[in-house]
Amino acid sequence: MSGSLHAWYSLRDLESLADRGVTLRGEFAIELLTRLKGLLHSAAGSVSATLDFEQRTDGWLGVELGYRADVDLVCQRCLEPFRRGLADNVKVVMAEASALPAVTPEGFEPFELVDGRFQPAELIEDELIVAIPLVPKHERVEDCGSLARRIAG
């Protein structure tokens, strides 16, 4: 199903999606994610995501989120920009704040609905923010720009 990742869905909408086992897919510009772009060197690029909804036998409304994005970060070793791929699959159970118990099914993260509504782009942005390394740096020291120039010079 092609639903919007930027649309708001009510709890009733989500339950309907889960009952039918719907998958939402999409791609959108990183520049639309205001909280994320403040952590990046630039907001260039896009994120693609898939959300698989399910009504679990234990009563939970479950979503499996898969995402992939390439983001521009600043290396904290050489202070130069570099591109880093972020990708993951995350399992989430959703409920309103009043119905969210302290314990969720193993392997699932809890997600609290805001005013009984859900916007997939918010969950995607949350997961991308968490995926950014605390100290971004090139994978290999040899890839650092200032270090490479010092070694060559």
Side-chain angles (χ1 to χ4, degrees), residues 46-116:
S46 63
V47 56
S48 60
T50 302
L51 289 98
D52 295 313
F53 292 86
E54 69 170 335
Q55 189 63 52
R56 296 174 37 87
T57 56
D58 57 10
W60 283 97
L61 192 154
V63 177
E64 184 168 351
L65 164 65
Y67 65 85
R68 178 171 300 284
D70 290 321
V71 297
D72 293 328
L73 301 170
V74 174
C75 176
Q76 296 305 296
R77 223 181 345 235
C78 68
L79 300 179
E80 293 194 11
F82 73 104
R83 186 149 269 234
R84 174 78 168 256
L86 303 176
D88 202 357
N89 286 308
V90 181
K91 292 181 178 181
V92 177
V93 288
M94 300 182 170
E96 295 195 57
S98 60
L100 199 61
V103 178
T104 56
E106 189 172 329
F108 285 80
E109 296 179 16
F111 187 85
E112 183 179 315
L113 299 177
V114 178
D115 297 326

Side-chain angles (χ1 to χ4, degrees), residues 2 10 17 21 28 33 41 53 60 71 73 77 89 108 130 138 143 145 147 153:
S2 63
S10 70
L17 293 173
F28 54 91
L33 303 174
H41 177 263
F53 292 86
W60 283 97
V71 297
L73 301 170
R77 223 181 345 235
N89 286 308
F108 285 80
V130 171
H138 288 95
D143 293 336
L147 180 62

Side-chain angles (χ1 to χ4, degrees), residues 16-28:
S16 175
L17 293 173
D19 287 341
R20 294 180 291 141
V22 169
T23 297
L24 296 179
R25 325 180 176 295
E27 185 170 343
F28 54 91

